[in-house]
């Protein structure tokens, strides 16, 4: 069992969980981060594992977040259900506490942490007080994350959306911090939604109807309908403008409630890109159920793979432009044929143009006038329709 556990750790490149004791990251990863990844690998859901460990759901949530300690009895139960040994799990918890203490004692940690934040964007978007002074900045930033202290922030964001953002290392990298801030903007919206239990089949059944929302030009019309439709089947859909340094188009992960969230940035401010990103992330929810972050230039997922990205791409393509319709357009993608195909499929013509550009059946820009485009104004969560 221990060998299998080690193989699993190596396979998924867990970073700090590899326990390279010569490396001291500027991060503290709770045992819950390892537990969640092994749950995903072994396809064990939260209720099943909580029952196996003899924990109520609130206590199990505290364990995952790093706010509950691993006792010898709990360590034995973890070894039985997830692998390795009780000694490993006790050492894992001890290392986490040691990392928290080390980070708290670092004199320059606060300054480095705040310096890495996209403060200018956060002020501009109204996510922190525009007039906050330097000596109060740390508390304002912690408030954005709903954390009481930097050790608390370390504890909460070493897993979940933190694991999605900090994909390369556990250092305070500026671009990754901007990405984490963008993800947190989605998390803040997601936890405010009244979400029922996730209904996977209901979500799949809903998807063909959602593409028809692209017929609406204005985000102020289609976005609330998209959010509410997905909410009814337990999926949170959120949007936020990307801060400076964040190149994300979309992301998926699970909220603390277990509900999936699809977070979108309206990157490139074009309808074809927005809707492709939504259905791409929906594909991850349907097929993979893990955390993914899609950025310009390739997959940046912490646990991402080119296979999963290709599957999500095909999923989006087939919903937006079904293969039989695509085949008929590939050789003769003229405007009238595109308009007929858009009416047949029930999507905006601009989406068809975008799909044909992706398939290299159309040179980029040739029919760009058929696309609706957006512009950001004062609202950091929803752009406006740009003038033609």
């Amino acid at each position: 069992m221990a060998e299998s556990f080690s193989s699993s750790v190596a396979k998924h490149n867990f970073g700090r969980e590899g326990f390279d004791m010569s490396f001291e990251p500027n991060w503290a990863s709770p045992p819950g981060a390892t537990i969640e990844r092994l749950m995903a690998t072994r396809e064990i859901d939260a209720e099943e594992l909580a029952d196996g460990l003899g924990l109520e759901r609130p206590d199990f949530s505290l364990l995952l977040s790093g706010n509950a300690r691993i006792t010898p009895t709990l360590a034995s139960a973890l070894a039985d259900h997830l692998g390795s040994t009780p000694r490993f799990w006790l050492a894992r918890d001890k290392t986490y506490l040691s990392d928290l203490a080390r980070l708290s004692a670092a004199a320059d940690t606060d300054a480095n942490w705040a310096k890495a934040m996209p403060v200018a964007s956060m002020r501009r978007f109204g996510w922190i007080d525009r007039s906050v002074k330097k000596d109060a900045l740390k508390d304002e930033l912690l408030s954005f994350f709903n954390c009481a202290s930097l050790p608390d922030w370390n504890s909460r964001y070493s897993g979940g959306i933190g694991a999605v953002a900090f994909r390369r290392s556990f250092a305070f990298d500026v671009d990754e911090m901007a990405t984490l801030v963008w993800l947190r903007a989605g998390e803040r919206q997601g936890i405010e939604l009244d979400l029922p239990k996730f209904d996977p089949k209901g979500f799949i059944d809903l998807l063909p109807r959602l593409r028809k929302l692209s017929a609406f030009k204005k985000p102020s019309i289609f976005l609330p309908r998209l959010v509410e439709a997905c909410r009814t089947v337990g999926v949170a859909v959120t949007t936020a403008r990307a801060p400076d340094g964040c190149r994300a188009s979309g992301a998926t992960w699970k909220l603390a409630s277990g509900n999936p969230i699809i977070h979108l940035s309206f990157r490139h401010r074009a309808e074809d890109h927005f809707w492709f990103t939504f259905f791409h992330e929906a594909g991850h929810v349907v097929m993979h159920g893990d955390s993914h972050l899609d950025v310009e230039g390739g997959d940046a997922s912490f646990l991402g793979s080119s296979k999963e990205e290709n599957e999500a791409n095909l999923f989006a393509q087939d919903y937006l432009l079904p293969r039989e319709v695509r085949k008929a357009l590939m050789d003769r993608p003229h405007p009238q044929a595109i308009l007929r195909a858009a009416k047949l499929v029930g999507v905006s013509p601009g989406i068809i143009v975008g799909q044909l550009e992706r398939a290299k059946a159309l040179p980029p820009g040739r029919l760009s006038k058929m696309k609706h485009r957006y512009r950001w104004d004062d609202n950091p969560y929803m752009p406006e329709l740009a003038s033609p």
Side-chain angles (χ1 to χ4, degrees), residues 26-196:
N26 205 1
W27 189 262
S29 174
T34 304
I35 293 170
E36 287 183 313
R37 289 166 191 151
L38 288 173
M39 285 168 59
T41 301
R42 295 167 181 259
E43 298 183 347
I44 301 173
D45 63 33
E47 289 187 5
E48 179 184 351
L49 183 57
D51 289 343
L53 299 178
L55 298 176
E56 298 294 331
R57 284 308 299 269
D59 295 327
F60 184 66
S61 296
L62 290 174
L63 173 65
L64 294 183
S65 67
N67 291 311
R69 304 279 55 82
I70 295 178
T71 64
T73 299
L74 184 54
S76 295
L78 286 167
D80 289 340
H81 290 275
L82 296 179
S84 194
T85 63
R87 181 180 178 184
F88 168 85
W89 289 107
L90 290 170
R92 180 70 177 83
D93 191 58
K94 183 178 179 181
T95 299
Y96 170 60
L97 293 177
S98 175
D99 283 347
L100 284 180
R102 175 175 51 80
L103 290 170
S104 298
D108 61 346
T109 295
D110 289 12
N112 290 339
W113 178 79
K115 186 177 180 180
M117 291 284 181
V119 172
S121 293
M122 296 176 76
R123 290 182 193 268
R124 192 165 69 250
F125 300 164
W127 294 347
I128 60 173
D129 189 337
R130 288 177 171 84
S131 61
V132 66
K133 302 300 182 183
K134 186 176 180 179
D135 58 352
L137 179 59
K138 186 187 89 167
D139 289 340
E140 189 75 11
L141 293 169
L142 286 171
S143 177
F144 174 78
F145 288 99
N146 193 31
C147 292
S149 63
L150 193 50
D152 182 27
W153 183 89
N154 270 298
S155 172
R156 294 191 189 191
Y157 290 98
S158 56
I161 65 172
V164 182
F166 290 81
R167 59 198 180 274
R168 297 188 189 94
S169 70
F170 293 115
F172 293 151
D173 179 271
V174 173
D175 290 349
E176 291 178 343
M177 196 71 88
T179 301
L180 180 60
V181 166
W182 174 74
L183 291 166
R184 170 60 181 163
E187 183 183 51
R188 295 208 307 177
Q189 297 171 69
I191 60 180
E192 293 298 321
L193 293 173
D194 182 18
L195 294 168

Side-chain angles (χ1 to χ4, degrees), residues 182 210 213-214 216-219 222-224 226-227 237-240 249-250 262-282 316 320 350-351 354-355 371-374 376 381-383:
W182 174 74
L210 294 181
L213 293 177
S214 70
F216 295 101
K217 297 179 182 180
K218 296 182 178 180
F222 70 72
L223 188 56
L226 176 66
V227 171
V237 173
T238 59
T239 57
S249 297
I262 295 175
H263 188 44
L264 307 165
S265 71
F266 279 95
R267 189 167 179 80
H268 300 301
R269 295 169 293 180
E271 62 173 343
D272 60 311
H273 190 270
F274 172 83
W275 286 104
F276 182 84
T277 303
F278 169 76
F279 280 99
H280 176 97
E281 301 303 333
L320 294 174
I351 289 177
Q355 284 296 291
K371 297 181 183 181
H372 298 136
R373 295 190 178 276
Y374 314 119
W376 287 106
Y381 302 105
M382 185 189 302

Side-chain angles (χ1 to χ4, degrees), residues 349-370:
I351 289 177
I352 303 291
V353 171
Q355 284 296 291
L356 292 174
E357 288 177 344
R358 287 182 63 89
K360 303 189 184 305
L362 267 180
R366 175 175 290 181
L367 296 178
S368 60
K369 291 183 178 180
M370 298 181 76

Side-chain angles (χ1 to χ4, degrees), residues 205-222:
D205 292 343
L206 179 66
L207 290 174
R209 302 199 298 274
L210 294 181
R211 66 185 175 195
K212 295 181 180 180
L213 293 177
S214 70
F216 295 101
K217 297 179 182 180
K218 296 182 178 180
S220 61
I221 296 177
F222 70 72

Side-chain angles (χ1 to χ4, degrees), residues 323-385:
R323 297 181 188 187
E324 61 274 14
V325 181
R326 177 192 302 271
K327 184 177 180 182
L329 283 173
M330 290 295 287
D331 294 331
R332 301 187 63 190
H334 54 81
Q336 289 304 315
I338 289 172
L339 290 173
R340 288 195 297 270
K343 185 176 181 180
L344 175 65
V345 177
V347 298
S348 163
I351 289 177
I352 303 291
V353 171
Q355 284 296 291
L356 292 174
E357 288 177 344
R358 287 182 63 89
K360 303 189 184 305
L362 267 180
R366 175 175 290 181
L367 296 178
S368 60
K369 291 183 178 180
M370 298 181 76
K371 297 181 183 181
H372 298 136
R373 295 190 178 276
Y374 314 119
R375 65 179 179 84
W376 287 106
D377 201 351
D378 295 333
N379 187 343
Y381 302 105
M382 185 189 302
E384 297 181 353
L385 182 68

